[in-house]
Amino acid sequence: MNRPNSSGLHPEFIARYPLDMQADRRVLLVKGYDYRRVKNALLSILWRMSLAQDEYFKDVSLGPRHEERLRQVLLNDLMLDENEYAVGLTVPYIDGKHYADWIMPPDFTRLGHNRLYRSLISGLLFTFDVGSAPPDVIIQPLILRETQWPILKAEVQEIPFLRNLCARMGKAQAIRESSAG
């Protein structure tokens, strides 16, 4: 009987989907995946966040045009161009440690002419570029491509909104500790 390995995945699963990964200090370059399936799976998450009524997802509002476009893509299992609803992934670290249990409500910021939705899921920062303009030159080198996906590895201090979030969490913790003692 085959048992899951340390990643929790069964060896048969890994053998069916071998990935080619090359890593350096800053970027993990992943190859050998099914681009359409990966992108559509991630866009499904974005689309569902936009449709959700829960307060947790309040900052994700794609609007009727983008919601319908994504619905059609997902319903018909279409393959989108790399720049249409571009998806990026960053692995944030705190003092060299990755926290796989870190989540936060999705939010958005403006980047160029588009909205950039950000969602931290299982310690992975997914970004979704939504709009009519091509992705901004800042994120262009780090988006999911048909042939490879460069995944950025970055310390939280290098990601301003996460750095600010951590600072606010630290202040809140200090206040709790001072009022408890």
Side-chain angles (χ1 to χ4, degrees):
M1 178 172 155
N2 287 327
R3 297 184 186 274
N5 63 20
S6 61
S7 70
L9 298 175
H10 285 277
E12 297 90 14
F13 179 84
I14 294 170
R16 273 193 316 212
Y17 301 100
L19 294 176
D20 175 13
M21 292 188 261
Q22 302 163 2
D24 66 22
R25 193 178 81 70
R26 298 287 297 173
V27 176
L28 173 65
L29 196 58
V30 180
K31 300 177 183 179
Y33 53 84
D34 183 325
Y35 168 80
R36 181 185 46 78
R37 291 177 89 180
V38 170
K39 184 156 182 175
N40 286 356
L42 294 169
L43 291 178
S44 173
I45 294 169
L46 174 65
W47 180 68
R48 291 165 192 269
M49 288 190 296
S50 184
L51 295 177
Q53 299 297 309
D54 192 279
E55 181 70 14
Y56 188 84
F57 301 104
K58 71 181 177 355
D59 288 339
V60 182
S61 179
L62 299 176
R65 182 176 58 118
H66 292 294
E67 283 178 358
E68 179 59 19
R69 173 70 175 133
L70 288 179
R71 188 182 78 79
Q72 288 297 322
V73 165
L74 299 170
L75 181 66
N76 296 300
D77 200 23
L78 302 176
M79 185 163 116
L80 293 178
D81 179 82
E82 297 166 348
N83 290 320
E84 187 176 5
Y85 302 105
V87 179
L89 178 58
T90 301
V91 181
Y93 291 88
I94 299 174
D95 296 328
K97 183 174 186 216
H98 174 248
Y99 291 87
D101 57 352
W102 191 12
I103 62 169
M104 64 176 245
D107 72 351
F108 76 93
T109 188
R110 288 248 174 232
L111 186 60
H113 296 286
N114 296 343
R115 281 184 166 214
L116 188 68
Y117 289 95
R118 306 174 293 201
S119 186
L120 193 65
I121 304 168
S122 296
L124 302 173
L125 178 61
F126 292 91
T127 56
F128 302 92
D129 186 78
V130 177
S132 301
D136 191 274
V137 295
I138 292 172
I139 65 168
Q140 190 63 245
L142 295 171
I143 64 173
L144 175 64
R145 304 263 178 216
E146 287 186 48
T147 57
Q148 63 185 22
W149 193 1
I151 299 171
L152 180 65
K153 300 181 284 184
E155 283 288 330
V156 165
Q157 296 89 333
E158 300 173 277
I159 308 169
F161 86 100
L162 286 181
R163 181 184 60 231
N164 295 339
L165 174 68
C166 288
R168 288 193 313 269
M169 289 171 30
K171 287 179 187 174
Q173 181 63 29
I175 290 169
R176 275 193 292 272
E177 289 173 0
S178 67
S179 65

mmCIF file of all heavy atoms in Angstrom, residues 142-180:
data_model
loop_
_atom_site.group_PDB
_atom_site.id
_atom_site.type_symbol
_atom_site.label_atom_id
_atom_site.label_comp_id
_atom_site.label_asym_id
_atom_site.label_seq_id
_atom_site.Cartn_x
_atom_site.Cartn_y
_atom_site.Cartn_z
ATOM 1 N N LEU A 142 6.264 38.204 -13.587
ATOM 2 C CA LEU A 142 5.950 37.213 -12.552
ATOM 3 C C LEU A 142 4.563 36.589 -12.697
ATOM 4 O O LEU A 142 4.016 36.081 -11.732
ATOM 5 C CB LEU A 142 6.079 37.858 -11.168
ATOM 6 C CG LEU A 142 7.492 38.286 -10.799
ATOM 7 C CD1 LEU A 142 7.480 39.115 -9.525
ATOM 8 C CD2 LEU A 142 8.397 37.082 -10.655
ATOM 9 N N ILE A 143 4.004 36.615 -13.899
ATOM 10 C CA ILE A 143 2.668 36.043 -14.057
ATOM 11 C C ILE A 143 2.740 34.621 -14.593
ATOM 12 O O ILE A 143 3.717 34.216 -15.214
ATOM 13 C CB ILE A 143 1.757 36.921 -14.949
ATOM 14 C CG1 ILE A 143 2.288 37.015 -16.376
ATOM 15 C CG2 ILE A 143 1.553 38.293 -14.317
ATOM 16 C CD1 ILE A 143 1.341 37.730 -17.343
ATOM 17 N N LEU A 144 1.685 33.886 -14.325
ATOM 18 C CA LEU A 144 1.533 32.521 -14.825
ATOM 19 C C LEU A 144 1.582 32.548 -16.350
ATOM 20 O O LEU A 144 0.849 33.293 -16.986
ATOM 21 C CB LEU A 144 0.193 31.955 -14.342
ATOM 22 C CG LEU A 144 -0.237 30.587 -14.827
ATOM 23 C CD1 LEU A 144 0.709 29.507 -14.336
ATOM 24 C CD2 LEU A 144 -1.655 30.298 -14.379
ATOM 25 N N ARG A 145 2.458 31.736 -16.915
ATOM 26 C CA ARG A 145 2.640 31.642 -18.371
ATOM 27 C C ARG A 145 2.298 30.228 -18.838
ATOM 28 O O ARG A 145 2.258 29.296 -18.037
ATOM 29 C CB ARG A 145 4.095 31.942 -18.747
ATOM 30 C CG ARG A 145 4.591 33.266 -18.260
ATOM 31 C CD ARG A 145 4.488 34.274 -19.332
ATOM 32 N NE ARG A 145 4.934 35.577 -18.839
ATOM 33 C CZ ARG A 145 4.375 36.684 -19.217
ATOM 34 N NH1 ARG A 145 3.372 36.673 -20.045
ATOM 35 N NH2 ARG A 145 4.807 37.842 -18.764
ATOM 36 N N GLU A 146 2.098 30.081 -20.128
ATOM 37 C CA GLU A 146 1.804 28.752 -20.672
ATOM 38 C C GLU A 146 2.957 27.787 -20.463
ATOM 39 O O GLU A 146 2.746 26.597 -20.274
ATOM 40 C CB GLU A 146 1.479 28.846 -22.165
ATOM 41 C CG GLU A 146 0.125 29.440 -22.441
ATOM 42 C CD GLU A 146 -0.241 29.388 -23.911
ATOM 43 O OE1 GLU A 146 -0.091 28.303 -24.523
ATOM 44 O OE2 GLU A 146 -0.670 30.418 -24.435
ATOM 45 N N THR A 147 4.181 28.289 -20.482
ATOM 46 C CA THR A 147 5.351 27.406 -20.408
ATOM 47 C C THR A 147 6.026 27.384 -19.048
ATOM 48 O O THR A 147 6.731 26.430 -18.731
ATOM 49 C CB THR A 147 6.397 27.830 -21.447
ATOM 50 O OG1 THR A 147 6.740 29.203 -21.224
ATOM 51 C CG2 THR A 147 5.864 27.652 -22.852
ATOM 52 N N GLN A 148 5.838 28.438 -18.251
ATOM 53 C CA GLN A 148 6.488 28.477 -16.936
ATOM 54 C C GLN A 148 5.789 29.474 -16.034
ATOM 55 O O GLN A 148 5.145 30.402 -16.489
ATOM 56 C CB GLN A 148 7.964 28.844 -17.069
ATOM 57 C CG GLN A 148 8.205 30.225 -17.632
ATOM 58 C CD GLN A 148 9.676 30.500 -17.857
ATOM 59 O OE1 GLN A 148 10.478 29.591 -17.984
ATOM 60 N NE2 GLN A 148 10.038 31.765 -17.895
ATOM 61 N N TRP A 149 5.963 29.245 -14.736
ATOM 62 C CA TRP A 149 5.389 30.148 -13.742
ATOM 63 C C TRP A 149 6.489 30.559 -12.787
ATOM 64 O O TRP A 149 6.921 29.770 -11.944
ATOM 65 C CB TRP A 149 4.271 29.461 -12.990
ATOM 66 C CG TRP A 149 3.418 30.392 -12.177
ATOM 67 C CD1 TRP A 149 3.518 31.748 -12.053
ATOM 68 C CD2 TRP A 149 2.297 30.017 -11.370
ATOM 69 N NE1 TRP A 149 2.540 32.233 -11.235
ATOM 70 C CE2 TRP A 149 1.764 31.198 -10.805
ATOM 71 C CE3 TRP A 149 1.693 28.810 -11.081
ATOM 72 C CZ2 TRP A 149 0.669 31.196 -9.958
ATOM 73 C CZ3 TRP A 149 0.602 28.816 -10.236
ATOM 74 C CH2 TRP A 149 0.093 29.989 -9.685
ATOM 75 N N PRO A 150 6.956 31.805 -12.908
ATOM 76 C CA PRO A 150 7.943 32.287 -11.944
ATOM 77 C C PRO A 150 7.235 32.698 -10.656
ATOM 78 O O PRO A 150 6.368 33.563 -10.663
ATOM 79 C CB PRO A 150 8.579 33.491 -12.648
ATOM 80 C CG PRO A 150 7.638 33.859 -13.743
ATOM 81 C CD PRO A 150 6.697 32.725 -13.974
ATOM 82 N N ILE A 151 7.585 32.048 -9.568
ATOM 83 C CA ILE A 151 6.969 32.323 -8.264
ATOM 84 C C ILE A 151 8.003 33.044 -7.418
ATOM 85 O O ILE A 151 9.078 32.512 -7.140
ATOM 86 C CB ILE A 151 6.500 31.011 -7.604
ATOM 87 C CG1 ILE A 151 5.457 30.327 -8.502
ATOM 88 C CG2 ILE A 151 5.963 31.279 -6.208
ATOM 89 C CD1 ILE A 151 5.077 28.937 -8.069
ATOM 90 N N LEU A 152 7.663 34.247 -7.021
ATOM 91 C CA LEU A 152 8.585 35.095 -6.267
ATOM 92 C C LEU A 152 8.641 34.666 -4.808
ATOM 93 O O LEU A 152 7.608 34.371 -4.202
ATOM 94 C CB LEU A 152 8.136 36.560 -6.354
ATOM 95 C CG LEU A 152 8.989 37.585 -5.620
ATOM 96 C CD1 LEU A 152 10.390 37.660 -6.237
ATOM 97 C CD2 LEU A 152 8.315 38.940 -5.662
ATOM 98 N N LYS A 153 9.833 34.638 -4.262
ATOM 99 C CA LYS A 153 10.039 34.409 -2.831
ATOM 100 C C LYS A 153 10.501 35.746 -2.248
ATOM 101 O O LYS A 153 11.483 36.314 -2.731
ATOM 102 C CB LYS A 153 11.089 33.331 -2.600
ATOM 103 C CG LYS A 153 10.727 31.987 -3.211
ATOM 104 C CD LYS A 153 11.781 30.935 -2.948
ATOM 105 C CE LYS A 153 12.976 31.132 -3.840
ATOM 106 N NZ LYS A 153 13.997 30.086 -3.701
ATOM 107 N N ALA A 154 9.786 36.254 -1.237
ATOM 108 C CA ALA A 154 10.110 37.584 -0.711
ATOM 109 C C ALA A 154 9.871 37.652 0.784
ATOM 110 O O ALA A 154 8.931 37.035 1.305
ATOM 111 C CB ALA A 154 9.269 38.646 -1.411
ATOM 112 N N GLU A 155 10.725 38.385 1.447
ATOM 113 C CA GLU A 155 10.501 38.677 2.863
ATOM 114 C C GLU A 155 9.326 39.643 2.980
ATOM 115 O O GLU A 155 9.121 40.504 2.109
ATOM 116 C CB GLU A 155 11.754 39.302 3.489
ATOM 117 C CG GLU A 155 12.847 38.311 3.798
ATOM 118 C CD GLU A 155 12.541 37.400 4.985
ATOM 119 O OE1 GLU A 155 11.826 37.813 5.916
ATOM 120 O OE2 GLU A 155 13.030 36.257 4.972
ATOM 121 N N VAL A 156 8.565 39.516 4.032
ATOM 122 C CA VAL A 156 7.395 40.369 4.252
ATOM 123 C C VAL A 156 7.786 41.851 4.214
ATOM 124 O O VAL A 156 7.027 42.674 3.705
ATOM 125 C CB VAL A 156 6.693 39.990 5.577
ATOM 126 C CG1 VAL A 156 5.714 41.058 6.016
ATOM 127 C CG2 VAL A 156 5.985 38.654 5.420
ATOM 128 N N GLN A 157 8.973 42.184 4.687
ATOM 129 C CA GLN A 157 9.419 43.579 4.676
ATOM 130 C C GLN A 157 9.467 44.149 3.267
ATOM 131 O O GLN A 157 9.404 45.358 3.077
ATOM 132 C CB GLN A 157 10.816 43.735 5.318
ATOM 133 C CG GLN A 157 10.867 43.394 6.773
ATOM 134 C CD GLN A 157 11.157 41.916 7.022
ATOM 135 O OE1 GLN A 157 10.858 41.048 6.213
ATOM 136 N NE2 GLN A 157 11.713 41.620 8.178
ATOM 137 N N GLU A 158 9.576 43.293 2.243
ATOM 138 C CA GLU A 158 9.634 43.738 0.856
ATOM 139 C C GLU A 158 8.247 43.917 0.236
ATOM 140 O O GLU A 158 8.132 44.393 -0.892
ATOM 141 C CB GLU A 158 10.402 42.718 0.012
ATOM 142 C CG GLU A 158 11.831 42.495 0.453
ATOM 143 C CD GLU A 158 12.462 41.363 -0.312
ATOM 144 O OE1 GLU A 158 12.251 40.198 0.072
ATOM 145 O OE2 GLU A 158 13.150 41.664 -1.309
ATOM 146 N N ILE A 159 7.200 43.531 0.964
ATOM 147 C CA ILE A 159 5.829 43.608 0.459
ATOM 148 C C ILE A 159 5.088 44.614 1.348
ATOM 149 O O ILE A 159 4.616 44.268 2.427
ATOM 150 C CB ILE A 159 5.147 42.223 0.511
ATOM 151 C CG1 ILE A 159 6.025 41.174 -0.184
ATOM 152 C CG2 ILE A 159 3.758 42.279 -0.106
ATOM 153 C CD1 ILE A 159 5.582 39.740 0.033
ATOM 154 N N PRO A 160 5.005 45.882 0.907
ATOM 155 C CA PRO A 160 4.519 46.958 1.790
ATOM 156 C C PRO A 160 3.213 46.678 2.514
ATOM 157 O O PRO A 160 3.125 46.893 3.722
ATOM 158 C CB PRO A 160 4.390 48.156 0.845
ATOM 159 C CG PRO A 160 5.396 47.888 -0.221
ATOM 160 C CD PRO A 160 5.394 46.390 -0.410
ATOM 161 N N PHE A 161 2.180 46.182 1.840
ATOM 162 C CA PHE A 161 0.919 46.003 2.546
ATOM 163 C C PHE A 161 1.000 44.879 3.573
ATOM 164 O O PHE A 161 0.372 44.948 4.632
ATOM 165 C CB PHE A 161 -0.256 45.828 1.574
ATOM 166 C CG PHE A 161 -0.494 44.424 1.097
ATOM 167 C CD1 PHE A 161 -1.483 43.646 1.670
ATOM 168 C CD2 PHE A 161 0.257 43.896 0.060
ATOM 169 C CE1 PHE A 161 -1.712 42.359 1.223
ATOM 170 C CE2 PHE A 161 0.038 42.617 -0.399
ATOM 171 C CZ PHE A 161 -0.950 41.842 0.180
ATOM 172 N N LEU A 162 1.807 43.842 3.337
ATOM 173 C CA LEU A 162 1.990 42.792 4.346
ATOM 174 C C LEU A 162 2.859 43.287 5.499
ATOM 175 O O LEU A 162 2.607 42.961 6.659
ATOM 176 C CB LEU A 162 2.603 41.538 3.728
ATOM 177 C CG LEU A 162 1.696 40.679 2.855
ATOM 178 C CD1 LEU A 162 2.446 39.463 2.349
ATOM 179 C CD2 LEU A 162 0.433 40.275 3.584
ATOM 180 N N ARG A 163 3.876 44.080 5.184
ATOM 181 C CA ARG A 163 4.710 44.675 6.231
ATOM 182 C C ARG A 163 3.852 45.534 7.155
ATOM 183 O O ARG A 163 3.944 45.433 8.383
ATOM 184 C CB ARG A 163 5.821 45.511 5.598
ATOM 185 C CG ARG A 163 6.748 46.158 6.620
ATOM 186 C CD ARG A 163 7.786 47.074 5.990
ATOM 187 N NE ARG A 163 7.123 48.156 5.272
ATOM 188 C CZ ARG A 163 7.382 48.492 4.006
ATOM 189 N NH1 ARG A 163 8.276 47.848 3.304
ATOM 190 N NH2 ARG A 163 6.737 49.491 3.450
ATOM 191 N N ASN A 164 2.963 46.350 6.585
ATOM 192 C CA ASN A 164 2.080 47.198 7.393
ATOM 193 C C ASN A 164 1.104 46.364 8.214
ATOM 194 O O ASN A 164 0.833 46.679 9.373
ATOM 195 C CB ASN A 164 1.327 48.179 6.500
ATOM 196 C CG ASN A 164 2.251 49.175 5.834
ATOM 197 O OD1 ASN A 164 3.368 49.412 6.292
ATOM 198 N ND2 ASN A 164 1.805 49.761 4.736
ATOM 199 N N LEU A 165 0.583 45.297 7.627
ATOM 200 C CA LEU A 165 -0.317 44.407 8.351
ATOM 201 C C LEU A 165 0.396 43.786 9.550
ATOM 202 O O LEU A 165 -0.141 43.752 10.660
ATOM 203 C CB LEU A 165 -0.840 43.309 7.423
ATOM 204 C CG LEU A 165 -1.677 42.216 8.087
ATOM 205 C CD1 LEU A 165 -3.000 42.777 8.574
ATOM 206 C CD2 LEU A 165 -1.901 41.063 7.127
ATOM 207 N N CYS A 166 1.615 43.314 9.341
ATOM 208 C CA CYS A 166 2.380 42.714 10.439
ATOM 209 C C CYS A 166 2.676 43.739 11.530
ATOM 210 O O CYS A 166 2.620 43.409 12.727
ATOM 211 C CB CYS A 166 3.672 42.102 9.918
ATOM 212 S SG CYS A 166 3.400 40.588 8.977
ATOM 213 N N ALA A 167 2.972 44.966 11.143
ATOM 214 C CA ALA A 167 3.226 46.015 12.132
ATOM 215 C C ALA A 167 1.970 46.276 12.963
ATOM 216 O O ALA A 167 2.052 46.395 14.197
ATOM 217 C CB ALA A 167 3.687 47.294 11.440
ATOM 218 N N ARG A 168 0.812 46.329 12.317
ATOM 219 C CA ARG A 168 -0.458 46.533 13.046
ATOM 220 C C ARG A 168 -0.745 45.356 13.967
ATOM 221 O O ARG A 168 -1.205 45.535 15.100
ATOM 222 C CB ARG A 168 -1.611 46.751 12.081
ATOM 223 C CG ARG A 168 -1.576 48.095 11.385
ATOM 224 C CD ARG A 168 -2.876 48.429 10.661
ATOM 225 N NE ARG A 168 -3.423 47.370 9.848
ATOM 226 C CZ ARG A 168 -3.162 47.189 8.552
ATOM 227 N NH1 ARG A 168 -2.347 47.994 7.929
ATOM 228 N NH2 ARG A 168 -3.728 46.199 7.893
ATOM 229 N N MET A 169 -0.468 44.139 13.490
ATOM 230 C CA MET A 169 -0.688 42.955 14.335
ATOM 231 C C MET A 169 0.245 42.985 15.544
ATOM 232 O O MET A 169 -0.163 42.637 16.657
ATOM 233 C CB MET A 169 -0.475 41.679 13.515
ATOM 234 C CG MET A 169 -1.563 41.441 12.505
ATOM 235 S SD MET A 169 -1.291 40.094 11.308
ATOM 236 C CE MET A 169 -0.308 38.916 12.139
ATOM 237 N N GLY A 170 1.495 43.395 15.334
ATOM 238 C CA GLY A 170 2.452 43.494 16.430
ATOM 239 C C GLY A 170 2.015 44.513 17.471
ATOM 240 O O GLY A 170 2.108 44.270 18.676
ATOM 241 N N LYS A 171 1.520 45.661 17.027
ATOM 242 C CA LYS A 171 1.024 46.689 17.951
ATOM 243 C C LYS A 171 -0.171 46.179 18.732
ATOM 244 O O LYS A 171 -0.277 46.396 19.938
ATOM 245 C CB LYS A 171 0.655 47.960 17.190
ATOM 246 C CG LYS A 171 1.840 48.738 16.691
ATOM 247 C CD LYS A 171 1.388 49.963 15.916
ATOM 248 C CE LYS A 171 2.576 50.654 15.276
ATOM 249 N NZ LYS A 171 2.181 51.755 14.409
ATOM 250 N N ALA A 172 -1.083 45.502 18.038
ATOM 251 C CA ALA A 172 -2.265 44.962 18.723
ATOM 252 C C ALA A 172 -1.865 43.936 19.772
ATOM 253 O O ALA A 172 -2.401 43.929 20.889
ATOM 254 C CB ALA A 172 -3.227 44.339 17.707
ATOM 255 N N GLN A 173 -0.900 43.087 19.440
ATOM 256 C CA GLN A 173 -0.425 42.087 20.398
ATOM 257 C C GLN A 173 0.226 42.767 21.604
ATOM 258 O O GLN A 173 -0.004 42.362 22.747
ATOM 259 C CB GLN A 173 0.562 41.128 19.727
ATOM 260 C CG GLN A 173 1.082 40.033 20.637
ATOM 261 C CD GLN A 173 -0.009 39.099 21.113
ATOM 262 O OE1 GLN A 173 -1.002 38.888 20.430
ATOM 263 N NE2 GLN A 173 0.158 38.545 22.304
ATOM 264 N N ALA A 174 1.017 43.798 21.372
ATOM 265 C CA ALA A 174 1.662 44.520 22.480
ATOM 266 C C ALA A 174 0.626 45.169 23.377
ATOM 267 O O ALA A 174 0.751 45.137 24.609
ATOM 268 C CB ALA A 174 2.619 45.571 21.920
ATOM 269 N N ILE A 175 -0.434 45.707 22.805
ATOM 270 C CA ILE A 175 -1.509 46.315 23.600
ATOM 271 C C ILE A 175 -2.203 45.256 24.429
ATOM 272 O O ILE A 175 -2.475 45.456 25.618
ATOM 273 C CB ILE A 175 -2.505 47.062 22.686
ATOM 274 C CG1 ILE A 175 -1.847 48.305 22.100
ATOM 275 C CG2 ILE A 175 -3.777 47.431 23.435
ATOM 276 C CD1 ILE A 175 -2.631 48.964 20.987
ATOM 277 N N ARG A 176 -2.496 44.109 23.824
ATOM 278 C CA ARG A 176 -3.145 43.012 24.577
ATOM 279 C C ARG A 176 -2.267 42.568 25.751
ATOM 280 O O ARG A 176 -2.767 42.340 26.853
ATOM 281 C CB ARG A 176 -3.430 41.835 23.656
ATOM 282 C CG ARG A 176 -4.724 41.935 22.901
ATOM 283 C CD ARG A 176 -5.088 40.600 22.252
ATOM 284 N NE ARG A 176 -4.184 40.246 21.179
ATOM 285 C CZ ARG A 176 -4.321 40.608 19.912
ATOM 286 N NH1 ARG A 176 -5.343 41.337 19.560
ATOM 287 N NH2 ARG A 176 -3.454 40.245 19.008
ATOM 288 N N GLU A 177 -0.985 42.409 25.471
ATOM 289 C CA GLU A 177 -0.085 41.949 26.527
ATOM 290 C C GLU A 177 0.056 42.972 27.644
ATOM 291 O O GLU A 177 0.108 42.603 28.813
ATOM 292 C CB GLU A 177 1.289 41.618 25.926
ATOM 293 C CG GLU A 177 1.280 40.365 25.087
ATOM 294 C CD GLU A 177 2.584 40.127 24.346
ATOM 295 O OE1 GLU A 177 3.526 40.942 24.467
ATOM 296 O OE2 GLU A 177 2.665 39.107 23.623
ATOM 297 N N SER A 178 0.090 44.244 27.315
ATOM 298 C CA SER A 178 0.246 45.276 28.354
ATOM 299 C C SER A 178 -1.039 45.422 29.174
ATOM 300 O O SER A 178 -0.983 45.708 30.364
ATOM 301 C CB SER A 178 0.642 46.619 27.750
ATOM 302 O OG SER A 178 -0.414 47.147 26.972
ATOM 303 N N SER A 179 -2.196 45.213 28.552
ATOM 304 C CA SER A 179 -3.441 45.327 29.310
ATOM 305 C C SER A 179 -3.725 44.076 30.127
ATOM 306 O O SER A 179 -4.455 44.132 31.111
ATOM 307 C CB SER A 179 -4.614 45.628 28.369
ATOM 308 O OG SER A 179 -4.843 44.558 27.493
ATOM 309 N N ALA A 180 -3.137 42.936 29.750
ATOM 310 C CA ALA A 180 -3.341 41.702 30.477
ATOM 311 C C ALA A 180 -2.446 41.617 31.707
ATOM 312 O O ALA A 180 -2.749 40.915 32.665
ATOM 313 C CB ALA A 180 -3.079 40.490 29.580
#
